[in-house]
Amino acid sequence: MLDSRHFVVRTLLADGLLQESDVRRATEHAVASGADLLDSLVSLGVVTSRRLAIAKAKICEYPFVDLAHYEVDFRNSRFIPRGVAERLSVFPLFCLNGATTVAMLDPLNLQAVDQVRQLVKSEVDPVVADADQLRALIARAYSMVRSDDAPQSADENDQSLTTGDEPIVAAVNQIMAGAVEAGASDVHINPDENDLFLRYRVDGVLRPQQGPPRASHAGMVQRLKVLAKLDLAQTRKPQDGKFRLVHKGEPVDIRLSLLPTIHGENVVMRLLRAAAKIGPISSLGMPEEITRWYETAIQRPHGMILVTGPTGSGKTTTLYTALHHLNSPDINIITIEDPVEIRLSMVRQVQVAPEIGLTFASALRSVLRQDPDVVLVGEIRDDETAKIAVQAALTGHLVFSTLHTNDAVGALARLTDFGVPGFAINNALLGVLAQRLLRRLCPACAIPEDDRLRLEAIPPAMCVGSFKKACGCGACANTGYKGRLGAYELFRVTPGVQGLIERAATRDLIEKAARADGMVLMWEDAIEKASRGLASLEEALQLRIRDEPASIRGRIAA
């Protein structure tokens, strides 16, 4: 068998990507650990697995494929037994015109090519793939098929798909690992009459994924119930739970929701952000003026700060960033949440349980007897909670909370509806921060915006900068977007605004006064971010249409 390792090393040396000292160090590592020389080069961080694959493709004169650019059908695993695929590091990508394109690590391994040819019963067109990508593809593809879907062979050593419930365990683990690696916030497993749909919510948008067959649904639901310690026999009532998995050494907290449907239990899992990923306030992407205000306001000894926006707009992250900034041994911080999504050391976190009478209001009364300096109320939902929270802000506590309103000024009407008098709002409320999340344009493929109607919809004073739009590439899974960033609106309770609140002025008058005091609307912040090529003009204008009064909404949309 012709071994390509020598040629790969020579190529890397010739290209200046490797030094003789690196080869000696990797050789010593390979001898000591019993590993392959090329694997040792990667383990030591000398080269990447991708760079190795490109070097192999160069000397073998076979194409290099980036598997991230392909939607590979997992059902192709039926052509090659799992043990063979893992031992030879091969996987069939697709079959076209009587030939099967097979991803391999070493196309010069003629015995492997011949064995694959016998298994797939067609001609083989080898291509070179990144070792990490190929191994991940093999692991996920074989975990997503039932044992009777994949071929078996006498020399197959891996029995993980043929013993007990292990195929289900492997499928659940691969689904969760894929979600974490994709940066998903939610995982949806939706049973239909004949199909099972798997979707990840990435950057706020649901993306279909290849998943297990319909027959795996019941087993996966049972596995999830075991993990979340739910009632295994209950299939006719909704259930909620929580569990933790470890992925590549990092714990991942998962909130599980099960909902009975006519085709079985629908599964939605929320991947909760780890406290370790909470950054400084500057990492939130607020405009500089809002960042300075927020950093100053959270240092106040008492008062109330509200964050508003719809579900999934990042309110919890904004509040926990403040708690993370304040968290120290000399400050007593207590939170009341439903549910507790982020765990912070030294912070006392209370999970509400309405079924036993532990509501936001009742928990807040008890919390105020715990000598807190800072209190976070997950959400103000009723009159009682609103009044107790405002009273706490008036009696020497710094209170954080959220409201579901469309904008910052709308929080005043909501508090008034909850029966909070104007003088209490004036004395307790420091400010309201409204926010939405925009998808961040992929910097690798964004192209200039050329839609004339969109460009003409920009207010003349804001027609500066470089507006771009999504295109799509391998780095962003061909979506044109990668990550999210916030659009913000800050309503400060200034002296001019206080007088209007005291007189129960209309919302329009209060907003006009706030604008005169420097408030920048959320859609204006979104367009400013679009002018810097961070977000698309399309999403920024959609935000303007949604937030503008109905009288001019139609004109903007036209």
Side-chain angles (χ1 to χ4, degrees):
M1 180 180 69
L2 184 59
D3 192 341
S4 64
R5 284 176 294 186
H6 171 78
F7 298 111
V8 172
V9 171
R10 290 295 110 192
T11 299
L12 292 172
L13 286 169
D15 291 344
L17 299 171
L18 206 61
Q19 304 297 325
E20 292 289 353
S21 58
D22 296 325
V23 178
R24 288 194 295 271
R25 188 158 59 98
T27 302
E28 293 171 359
H29 180 274
V31 171
S33 62
D36 180 84
L37 173 61
L38 299 183
D39 289 339
S40 293
L41 287 170
V42 176
S43 299
L44 294 173
V46 178
V47 294
T48 64
S49 59
R50 179 185 178 88
R51 187 68 257 177
L52 279 182
I54 293 173
K56 285 182 181 179
K58 182 178 179 180
I59 64 171
C60 298
E61 297 185 350
Y62 283 109
F64 167 77
V65 296
D66 186 342
L67 295 179
H69 292 186
Y70 291 86
E71 185 70 27
V72 180
D73 192 340
F74 293 163
R75 290 174 297 181
N76 291 345
S77 59
R78 67 185 182 273
F79 297 121
I80 300 177
R82 179 172 188 164
V84 175
E86 291 183 333
R87 176 164 51 81
L88 300 180
S89 294
V90 298
F91 192 85
L93 300 182
F94 48 83
C95 184
L96 187 65
N97 297 328
T100 302
T101 300
V102 179
M104 306 183 68
L105 294 188
D106 188 5
L108 294 185
N109 186 339
L110 301 183
Q111 290 183 2
V113 173
D114 187 58
Q115 188 171 353
V116 170
R117 183 183 295 110
Q118 294 178 29
L119 288 169
V120 301
K121 297 180 175 59
S122 72
E123 285 301 314
V124 171
D125 286 336
V127 294
V128 183
D130 181 313
D132 292 340
Q133 289 182 345
L134 180 55
R135 287 165 186 155
L137 171 61
I138 292 171
R140 191 165 190 209
Y142 286 95
S143 297
M144 291 296 184
V145 296
R146 290 160 41 211
S147 57
D148 54 356
D149 289 336
Q152 304 299 319
S153 65
D155 64 345
E156 186 160 2
N157 297 319
D158 191 331
Q159 299 297 315
S160 63
L161 294 180
T162 61
T163 56
D165 291 331
E166 290 182 5
I168 296 299
V169 174
V172 170
N173 289 346
Q174 285 296 327
I175 288 172
M176 301 315 303
V180 173
E181 291 169 1
S185 61
D186 301 87
V187 177
H188 292 239
I189 302 176
N190 313 126
D192 210 340
E193 185 173 2
N194 300 312
D195 299 297
L196 184 65
F197 298 101
L198 171 65
R199 296 181 293 175
Y200 295 160
R201 186 175 294 280
V202 181
D203 298 337
V205 178
L206 282 174
R207 297 182 185 174
Q209 307 289 321
Q210 290 190 68
R214 178 67 172 83
S216 300
H217 174 254
M220 288 197 301
V221 170
Q222 290 295 92
R223 170 61 178 167
L224 292 170
K225 287 181 178 179
V226 169
L227 290 172
K229 298 181 173 59
L230 300 180
D231 186 348
L232 300 180
Q234 182 57 262
T235 60
R236 296 188 296 173
K237 289 184 179 179
Q239 294 193 72
D240 296 299
K242 192 175 180 180
F243 60 94
R244 172 174 285 191
L245 291 179
V246 177
H247 178 67
K248 294 184 178 179
E250 294 293 329
V252 181
D253 288 319
I254 298 166
R255 193 175 75 208
L256 171 68
S257 173
L258 300 175
L259 180 70
T261 71
I262 59 173
H263 296 304
E265 292 176 273
N266 195 69
V267 179
V268 175
M269 290 177 280
R270 167 66 56 90
L271 279 65
L272 304 178
R273 189 173 186 177
K277 295 183 179 179
I278 298 294
I281 291 174
S282 58
S283 69
L284 293 173
M286 298 176 180
E288 290 184 12
E289 183 179 348
I290 296 180
T291 298
R292 288 195 297 270
W293 176 87
Y294 197 48
E295 289 175 339
T296 302
I298 65 175
Q299 300 293 340
R300 296 280 291 271
H302 57 82
M304 175 182 281
I305 298 173
L306 296 176
V307 179
T308 73
T311 300
S313 59
K315 300 187 299 294
T316 299
T317 299
T318 297
L319 290 176
Y320 262 88
T321 300
L323 296 188
H324 182 69
H325 182 85
L326 295 171
N327 195 15
S328 65
D330 58 338
I331 295 180
N332 183 21
I333 302 175
I334 305 180
T335 74
I336 308 166
E337 302 170 77
D338 182 22
V340 175
E341 295 191 2
I342 301 172
R343 302 180 185 182
L344 273 183
S345 177
M346 292 194 300
V347 174
R348 304 305 94 202
Q349 297 173 281
V350 179
Q351 169 79 52
V352 302
E355 65 275 9
I356 61 172
L358 185 61
T359 62
F360 278 113
S362 62
L364 185 53
R365 285 197 196 92
S366 298
V367 162
L368 294 177
R369 293 192 286 269
Q370 291 276 312
D371 186 32
D373 297 297
V374 178
V375 178
L376 184 150
V377 182
E379 182 184 349
I380 295 179
R381 297 176 178 174
D382 52 58
D383 299 19
E384 190 177 11
T385 305
K387 291 174 182 176
I388 298 173
V390 170
Q391 188 63 35
L394 292 171
T395 54
H397 305 89
L398 183 61
V399 179
F400 295 96
S401 192
T402 69
L403 284 173
H404 284 292
T405 61
N406 290 329
D407 54 19
V409 178
L412 297 178
R414 184 60 56 86
L415 290 175
T416 302
D417 290 343
F418 286 144
V420 180
F423 74 88
I425 295 175
N426 276 339
N427 289 304
L429 190 62
L430 300 177
V432 183
L433 187 64
Q435 64 182 74
R436 297 284 196 285
L437 290 179
L438 304 171
R439 288 182 292 172
R440 185 185 293 271
L441 285 171
C442 174
C445 64
I447 59 177
E449 177 61 77
D450 56 1
D451 189 299
R452 182 177 57 82
L453 293 178
R454 288 178 190 157
L455 293 170
E456 289 177 351
I458 306 171
M462 305 183 74
C463 289
V464 294
S466 177
F467 294 93
K468 295 183 178 181
K469 64 179 181 179
C471 181
C473 67
C476 59
N478 293 314
T479 63
Y481 300 94
K482 194 170 185 179
R484 290 194 284 181
L485 72 162
Y488 298 92
E489 175 180 295
L490 172 62
F491 171 69
R492 295 178 295 120
V493 184
T494 60
V497 167
Q498 285 180 327
L500 293 173
I501 294 175
E502 190 74 35
R503 299 196 301 272
T506 65
R507 174 210 151 84
D508 287 345
L509 285 176
I510 293 174
E511 181 175 310
K512 185 176 180 181
R515 293 275 279 167
D517 288 335
M519 182 174 79
V520 175
L521 297 180
M522 197 186 315
W523 66 263
E524 294 175 322
D525 182 38
I527 289 182
E528 191 278 330
K529 288 181 167 67
S531 72
R532 290 188 281 137
L534 300 177
S536 70
L537 181 57
E538 178 184 12
E539 287 198 353
L541 291 175
Q542 286 176 352
L543 190 60
R544 184 186 183 190
I545 292 170
R546 182 170 59 243
D547 291 347
E548 283 284 6
S551 59
I552 64 172
R553 195 178 299 155
R555 178 164 53 83
I556 300 172

